[in-house]
Amino acid sequence: MAAMLPRARILGNTSLLNHSIRGLATGAAKHQAALASSISGADALAQSSSKSADTWANVEPGSEFTVTRETGFLPQHEPLAVLPSYFEKLEELLDEMPIHKGDGTHGLLHSGRFGERIERELPLYDVDFVFDSRILAALYRDYAFLASAYLLEPCDIQFRLARNYGLARRILPANIARPLQTIAARLGAQPFLEHSSFTFYNYRRTDPSIDAPASIDSIEPIRRFSGCDAERSYITGHVAAARFTGQMVQASLELLGGAKTDDRGRFDRALQRYTGAMREVNGVLSRALANSGEYASFRTYLSGTKSQPMFSAGVIYESASGAGPQLSSVLPAQHHQFFGVAQSSNPIASLSTHLFQLSQLSPQGALPCADGIDNLRPQNYRAFLTHIARHSRTDRVQSYALRSPASSAHYVAALDQVLAYRFRQWANLRDSVHLHTLRASPAFRNYLDVQTRHIRDIAELVLRSRANTDREMLVPAQRAATDAAAHRAETVRRSLSRILEDAEPAQLPTSMIAY
């Protein structure tokens, strides 16, 4: 393996990195603070933000992964598409990586040569001097891509040959592990690929004159595993949908403020704005993910290391000291099993779950938050979602909504959009997975069953909320809307109940598509 590159090589290469070097002294202290925060947990982060339900301040305002009323979950600045020249070999390997490259040729993952090239050619870069927020975010994205590609390359080859996954590589080499852990600790994130680095910080404009990300057609991914159209649609669709998360953030804070101060009008207006934003999100994703047939061509690389058959006991991160493989010293040992990327890992799903108190529906259906995924997001995401969860629980948003007929109707409309989002995510996943995988992998079948129960629970909550609404107090348009939402929820509930009762997995029946 190549030796660590001297940091002196950076001098003069780029103003961004020169800026990073000038910030080394103060950055070292920030690194220690970020590391301590990443281990302390989401509750401590939330306590450091505003205690008022309707106000919010990022705990790390300089990070690219912020949460604001204007940009929502999108980064503060347009993602850095090309790394500084110091990381030339890293950039080269990422460009050569995809199964299908942009020029029509096959890349390293197509033939299974990626791993050997990483072991032979990738230097152990010194990233201790990097503190510029855009470079940190780009390096986090790129090293996370490298980690997933390296570990899961054998599984993808096996899947293309025999439609089963086999076993992944179990040791992540130091030339990926060491920089990734350093950068992740500085960002307060997990040293593994997660949703925001795969989507929100992975786009560039195709036309510089158009405000990004204006639409799916105006942006393209920076990094890819497969290079297929479905992967492009998945990434750009989630980025385009995230344009509406600023409205969701604004509405969620206003909603909590209305519940806290018993301002019914403010609460109802916020519910309507949130529902409108979710409707826009669902519209974008419905068009972007309409063709999920190629999802399997890149889904392997989105797998996590937690409860997955290809990883028997997580991943060992190789040390950089030459002493051989060892568990990372950056995070506690139990954190070496990481979640992967899925639509359910989108912070949009967690925000809705926390805001409307959906994680308490049933012990087996508390997704996508109670499984711990929120604790592994970047710091600001984690703190914001904890802020929403804490105040929603304290002010009993769900019961407050159901105490008024009009609020109850708005609440049903919001749940209808949440159910549409979660159901589409579930259906796309199930449609893309071969029945052999469902039969052969008890862990995956259990994962899918847990999600199925949770979505059924949301459908049942829609029905209960509608039943508790005094329909005579509603205007005709509200009555019609709640009735339509209840009809869709009942269709989903019955269909998912039948699927859960089947011992043998079956193809998704077309008749159950309610959205």
Side-chain angles (χ1 to χ4, degrees), residues 205-286:
R205 288 177 289 172
T206 56
D207 183 351
S209 66
I210 299 176
D211 290 338
S215 67
I216 293 174
D217 296 330
S218 68
I219 55 178
E220 64 181 4
I222 297 171
R223 307 298 183 205
R224 305 184 192 188
F225 293 113
S226 168
C228 68
D229 290 341
E231 184 180 30
R232 175 193 171 111
S233 295
Y234 186 101
I235 294 170
T236 59
H238 280 86
V239 173
R243 288 180 299 154
F244 303 100
T245 57
Q247 183 178 334
M248 294 175 68
V249 169
Q250 169 79 16
S252 64
L253 294 171
E254 289 293 317
L255 186 150
L256 293 176
K260 171 71 76 177
T261 60
D262 193 19
D263 187 336
R264 183 66 66 176
R266 183 186 184 190
F267 182 86
D268 288 352
R269 289 190 297 272
L271 259 179
Q272 289 176 289
R273 284 197 295 272
Y274 194 92
T275 303
M278 276 298 299
R279 188 175 291 112
E280 295 286 357
V281 167
N282 281 323
V284 171
L285 292 179
S286 178

Side-chain angles (χ1 to χ4, degrees), residues 20-148:
S20 292
I21 295 173
R22 287 195 297 270
L24 178 59
T26 57
K30 289 177 64 179
H31 170 46
Q32 294 300 323
L35 178 57
S37 295
S38 71
I39 297 174
S40 65
D43 288 335
L45 286 171
Q47 295 298 329
S48 67
S49 64
S50 173
K51 291 181 173 17
S52 176
D54 57 353
T55 59
W56 160 251
N58 287 284
V59 296
E60 283 288 339
S63 171
E64 289 300 305
F65 299 102
T66 56
V67 183
T68 72
R69 298 169 187 254
E70 294 75 32
T71 60
F73 293 113
L74 286 175
Q76 288 197 69
H77 306 99
E78 189 169 346
L80 194 65
V82 179
L83 295 174
S85 58
Y86 174 66
F87 300 100
E88 179 181 4
K89 177 55 70 170
L90 173 60
E91 183 84 41
E92 176 189 323
L93 288 169
L94 285 164
D95 288 343
E96 293 292 322
M97 180 178 71
I99 296 173
H100 304 287
K101 295 166 58 179
D103 60 6
T105 61
H106 290 146
L108 297 173
L109 289 177
H110 181 269
S111 57
R113 293 180 293 119
F114 181 72
E116 66 177 71
R117 289 281 299 273
I118 288 292
E119 294 167 359
R120 188 174 69 246
E121 298 179 21
L122 180 65
L124 175 52
Y125 283 106
D126 180 4
V127 296
D128 288 344
F129 60 86
V130 180
F131 292 95
D132 180 273
S133 63
R134 293 185 70 204
I135 300 177
L136 280 174
L139 286 172
Y140 177 57
R141 172 198 66 210
D142 291 348
Y143 273 107
F145 262 81
L146 285 184
S148 291

Side-chain angles (χ1 to χ4, degrees), residues 186-364:
R186 202 161 291 168
L187 294 173
Q190 64 173 338
F192 201 75
L193 186 69
E194 50 84 51
H195 191 277
S196 59
S197 52
F198 182 64
T199 56
F200 299 159
Y201 206 80
N202 189 29
Y203 75 89
R204 60 182 157 204
R205 288 177 289 172
T206 56
D207 183 351
S209 66
I210 299 176
D211 290 338
S215 67
I216 293 174
D217 296 330
S218 68
I219 55 178
E220 64 181 4
I222 297 171
R223 307 298 183 205
R224 305 184 192 188
F225 293 113
S226 168
C228 68
D229 290 341
E231 184 180 30
R232 175 193 171 111
S233 295
Y234 186 101
I235 294 170
T236 59
H238 280 86
V239 173
R243 288 180 299 154
F244 303 100
T245 57
Q247 183 178 334
M248 294 175 68
V249 169
Q250 169 79 16
S252 64
L253 294 171
E254 289 293 317
L255 186 150
L256 293 176
K260 171 71 76 177
T261 60
D262 193 19
D263 187 336
R264 183 66 66 176
R266 183 186 184 190
F267 182 86
D268 288 352
R269 289 190 297 272
L271 259 179
Q272 289 176 289
R273 284 197 295 272
Y274 194 92
T275 303
M278 276 298 299
R279 188 175 291 112
E280 295 286 357
V281 167
N282 281 323
V284 171
L285 292 179
S286 178
R287 294 187 294 273
L289 305 178
N291 180 16
S292 61
E294 292 182 297
Y295 184 41
S297 69
F298 66 96
R299 183 194 170 277
T300 302
Y301 293 106
L302 306 188
S303 300
T305 65
K306 181 181 177 67
S307 302
Q308 294 286 352
M310 61 276 279
F311 293 100
S312 57
V315 175
I316 295 174
Y317 281 48
E318 190 176 46
S319 72
S321 63
Q326 63 179 35
L327 288 175
S328 160
S329 60
V330 176
L331 293 174
Q334 64 267 28
H335 285 173
H336 287 280
Q337 295 187 6
F338 301 114
F339 293 94
V341 177
Q343 290 182 62
S344 60
S345 65
N346 191 329
I348 292 174
S350 287
L351 174 57
S352 297
T353 299
H354 288 311
L355 183 63
F356 300 125
Q357 298 183 273
L358 304 181
S359 62
Q360 305 171 28
L361 289 176
S362 70
Q364 292 182 309

Side-chain angles (χ1 to χ4, degrees), residues 440-452:
S441 172
F444 185 86
R445 179 66 189 268
N446 180 68
Y447 167 78
L448 194 61
D449 283 351
V450 170
Q451 291 217 26
T452 305

Side-chain angles (χ1 to χ4, degrees), residues 450-497:
V450 170
Q451 291 217 26
T452 305
R453 290 189 185 93
H454 177 64
I455 298 167
R456 184 186 63 179
D457 291 342
I458 297 177
E460 291 176 347
L461 178 60
V462 172
L463 295 171
R464 290 198 303 272
S465 301
R466 187 251 195 178
N468 291 332
T469 302
D470 187 350
R471 297 177 70 256
E472 297 303 318
M473 299 294 293
L474 303 178
V475 300
Q478 286 179 318
R479 285 199 296 270
T482 54
D483 289 347
H487 176 74
R488 288 189 289 269
E490 177 62 15
T491 302
V492 170
R493 187 195 68 80
R494 289 182 177 179
S495 300
L496 296 186
S497 294

Side-chain angles (χ1 to χ4, degrees), residues 423 487-488 491-492 495 498 507-515:
F423 177 80
H487 176 74
R488 288 189 289 269
T491 302
V492 170
S495 300
R498 287 199 302 269
Q507 290 287 3
L508 183 67
T510 304
S511 60
M512 74 172 289
I513 303 298
Y515 292 96

